[in-house]
Amino acid sequence: MARQRWASRTVFLLAAVGSAVGLGNVWRFPYLAGKYGGGAFLIPYLIALIIVGTPMLILEFVVGQKMQQGAIGSFRKLHPYAGGLGIFTMISSLVIVSYYAVVMAWSVIYFLASFGVQWSDNPKNYFNNSVLQISDGVNNLGGINWSILLCLTVVWILIYFCIWQGTKSVGKVVLYSVPLPVVLLGLLLLRAITLPGFLDGWRAYLNPVWSALVDPEVWTSAFSQIFFTLSLGFGVMITYSSYKQEDDDIARDAWSTAIINSAISLFAGFVVFGILGYMASQTDTPLKELAASGPGLAFVVFPEALSLMPLPWLFSILFFVMLLSLGIDSAFSIVEVLNGAILDQHKHLKLSVVSFWVCIAGFIAGIIYTTRAGLYFLDITDHFLTNYNLILAAIFQVILAGWIYGVEPLRRHINQVSDWRVGKWWNISIKYVIPIILTCLLATQLSKDINTPYGGYPVWALGIGWAIVLIPLMLFLLCLLNDWRRNIEV
Ligand code: PHE
């Protein structure tokens, strides 16, 4: 069967941007900027974007496009023993999408509650006790929260119908799901700048605190944010670019994706801080405190800000539709990694059937986060996945491509097909800069986690986190050994 293709280059670009632009842009980026030095945070962020993020994106694009295979197949073409890296990537993808979909399920609940602005009395209480019905600790599972499970089912049905025909259905969906949240953000921005206090919010967002630049944590956060926001390390960009023609442009698409993604993050920052500025002026809460509220930003602080506005229901609906449309194309891009890899290996299977079973697997893997201790598990999984799996996968990829396969043939391929040339600096970035920076990130995180166990969770719960890192890692090593042994026997 012929390989699936994108309908056009614009469709590919929209799909790549759709994957990159997600919850990470709207709450993670503004929250990091607020926490780590305001305008000064933009310096490490932009440096990370240019010297690490975009080169890595170019690498994922060229690998997928040149090899014309998803994660497992592409890695195997880089080196016959490297298929196991694809397994590592696939398991990580399954785990990330399983909880990303749960966050979307919360958004569905909030969308429904928007019609009556049900949280307005006490947003924090509403999130913890009405939506999550959170238990008193990770030790107490507290049974399944059926409303979240129901909304999760809805989310997975939506995801399924976005991807069931592969590039064909994804191509149609992204025409709407990528511009829609940007338009909605624009409307929210218009609302923000007509409210008192928005300028104070912008000041808190952009005012540079230069002393932040000497704090290593600011730098490590900027680098890991760039990886997360560009959907790197999970095989998404490899899979997506494998559906392009072998001689399509690479460099320009990569730069465009990276620039559009960061532009949307910056833009989202204005919206978020504008509205927080208004909230600070209405409630006398310091802005810093509001911005640094982490995951609570989208589901506690922001809903509260929305409820203070005139026509609160309208802007709440806009906000949660924005969040859902923002999240869905990131979520299904991860599912595509699994679909792509499975179909490469088993060409006789039917796309819609594979998609169905992958969605079922993602749904089942997410059930744990719908229990009353779900938030704790989500927090642990997210911590380990983004700090270890993502970074490890990226390190393995650059070693495989940069040192084992060789960067120069890849760079030559890019320059043969691209309008924009990629200079020798790219080789240096892939071979030295990225692995060194990522190893430093990994080492810093590891020493932090060993010294102070993350989030004060009990040992068994953190054990699950470590298992999420170590099980795929062990499978990778086993596959490697197996391939090697088979090769010797032949
Ligand atoms: N880039 C997405 C975001 O910013 C998250 C994501 C990570 C999506 C990894 C796919 C793969 O929200």
Side-chain angles (χ1 to χ4, degrees):
M1 229 170 54
R3 193 162 185 77
Q4 302 180 49
R5 295 286 170 208
W6 297 109
S8 70
R9 183 156 160 208
T10 315
V11 168
F12 164 75
L13 204 60
L14 278 174
V17 168
S19 171
V21 177
L23 302 175
N25 300 59
V26 168
W27 71 258
R28 208 158 183 259
F29 172 77
Y31 140 73
L32 291 176
K35 185 170 171 199
Y36 294 123
F41 181 73
L42 292 180
I43 293 176
Y45 178 82
L46 290 177
I47 292 180
L49 177 72
I50 293 166
I51 68 168
V52 170
T54 316
M56 188 74 198
L57 188 61
I58 295 177
L59 177 70
E60 294 208 358
F61 276 0
V62 66
V63 166
Q65 187 173 314
K66 185 168 168 21
M67 306 307 172
Q68 293 285 305
Q69 294 267 309
I72 298 184
S74 285
F75 294 141
R76 209 174 261 152
K77 281 193 170 177
L78 288 174
H79 191 277
Y81 299 170
L85 180 54
I87 308 271
F88 181 89
T89 313
M90 280 174 76
I91 300 176
S92 305
S93 298
L94 184 68
V95 177
I96 191 176
V97 75
S98 66
Y99 73 82
Y100 206 89
V102 173
V103 178
M104 289 179 62
W106 301 344
S107 310
V108 173
I109 297 185
Y110 271 89
F111 164 71
L112 297 173
S114 292
F115 291 87
V117 202
Q118 284 172 20
W119 56 81
S120 56
D121 290 342
N122 186 343
K124 193 165 180 178
N125 186 37
Y126 182 79
F127 182 54
N128 286 335
N129 299 326
S130 299
V131 177
L132 301 179
Q133 299 171 356
I134 194 166
S135 69
D136 53 6
V138 70
N139 285 317
N140 180 3
L141 266 188
I144 285 182
N145 178 330
W146 295 101
S147 37
I148 298 185
L149 192 73
L150 184 71
C151 291
L152 185 65
T153 315
V154 173
V155 168
W156 275 106
I157 292 174
L158 282 176
I159 293 180
Y160 176 73
F161 282 109
C162 291
I163 52 151
W164 72 301
Q165 295 174 318
T167 50
K168 207 164 129 204
S169 49
V170 166
K172 286 184 197 144
V173 173
V174 292
L175 292 179
Y176 304 94
S177 66
V178 178
L180 178 69
V182 181
V183 172
L184 294 176
L185 272 172
L187 290 177
L188 288 164
L189 184 73
L190 284 180
R191 176 70 274 195
I193 58 173
T194 47
L195 291 168
F198 82 93
L199 270 179
D200 293 329
W202 286 8
R203 236 171 259 135
Y205 175 36
L206 294 178
N207 212 7
V209 184
W210 297 114
S211 57
L213 295 181
V214 294
D215 180 358
E217 200 176 307
V218 173
W219 289 84
T220 52
S221 307
F223 279 99
S224 49
Q225 169 64 8
I226 283 293
F227 267 83
F228 185 78
T229 191
L230 288 176
S231 308
L232 296 169
F234 289 100
V236 172
M237 296 305 187
I238 295 180
T239 310
Y240 269 10
S241 56
S242 76
Y243 302 132
K244 289 169 85 186
Q245 302 286 355
E246 239 180 298
D247 56 356
D248 277 347
D249 182 280
I250 293 173
R252 197 162 53 162
D253 283 357
W255 280 104
S256 312
T257 308
I259 292 170
I260 296 172
N261 174 61
S262 291
I264 295 179
S265 283
L266 285 173
F267 181 56
F270 282 104
V271 180
V272 169
F273 274 85
I275 291 178
L276 292 184
Y278 166 69
M279 180 173 168
S281 76
Q282 302 293 302
T283 58
D284 284 332
T285 326
L287 251 162
K288 268 239 123 21
E289 206 172 289
L290 295 179
S293 49
L297 185 61
F299 297 101
V300 177
V301 175
F302 227 78
E304 182 170 356
L306 293 165
S307 70
L308 297 172
M309 287 180 182
L311 294 182
W313 57 273
L314 178 63
F315 291 99
S316 303
I317 292 174
L318 291 186
F319 179 74
F320 288 106
V321 171
M322 190 269 297
L323 222 50
L324 280 168
S325 55
L326 203 66
I328 190 123
D329 26 34
S330 299
F332 66 63
S333 72
I334 311 173
V335 179
E336 280 289 311
V337 175
L338 296 142
N339 277 356
I342 295 172
L343 285 162
D344 281 344
Q345 311 301 313
H346 305 278
K347 294 209 167 49
H348 60 283
L349 294 178
K350 232 178 123 176
L351 173 61
S352 54
V353 178
V354 172
S355 303
F356 177 78
W357 288 109
V358 169
C359 288
I360 295 284
F363 171 75
I364 293 175
I367 291 178
I368 177 92
Y369 311 109
T370 67
T371 61
R372 291 183 169 78
L375 182 68
Y376 307 118
F377 286 111
L378 199 147
D379 183 36
I380 294 171
T381 313
D382 179 61
H383 175 78
F384 284 90
L385 208 77
T386 49
N387 287 305
Y388 295 99
N389 294 46
L390 193 162
I391 304 292
L392 278 170
I395 294 180
F396 294 140
Q397 267 184 47
V398 283
I399 292 177
L400 179 62
W403 290 90
I404 299 175
Y405 184 84
V407 260
E408 196 45 31
L410 292 174
R411 193 175 75 95
R412 240 181 284 132
H413 184 84
I414 301 170
N415 285 338
Q416 260 164 20
V417 299
S418 304
D419 294 340
W420 298 358
R421 270 188 66 78
V422 170
K424 280 249 160 60
W425 63 271
W426 185 74
N427 298 9
I428 299 173
S429 175
I430 299 294
K431 280 184 81 166
Y432 305 100
V433 181
I434 299 183
I436 292 173
I437 289 182
L438 291 179
T439 311
C440 291
L441 277 185
L442 197 67
T444 329
Q445 194 58 52
L446 198 62
S447 78
K448 231 195 266 172
D449 275 329
I450 291 172
N451 289 331
T452 29
Y454 176 68
Y457 290 109
V459 177
W460 71 266
L462 291 177
I464 295 183
W466 287 114
I468 290 172
V469 184
L470 295 174
I471 292 176
L473 194 62
M474 260 153 47
L475 285 174
F476 169 35
L477 295 177
L478 280 177
C479 286
L480 192 75
L481 268 172
N482 195 33
D483 285 342
W484 177 67
R485 223 191 34 217
R486 244 203 333 238
N487 200 278
I488 289 187
E489 278 165 11
V490 182

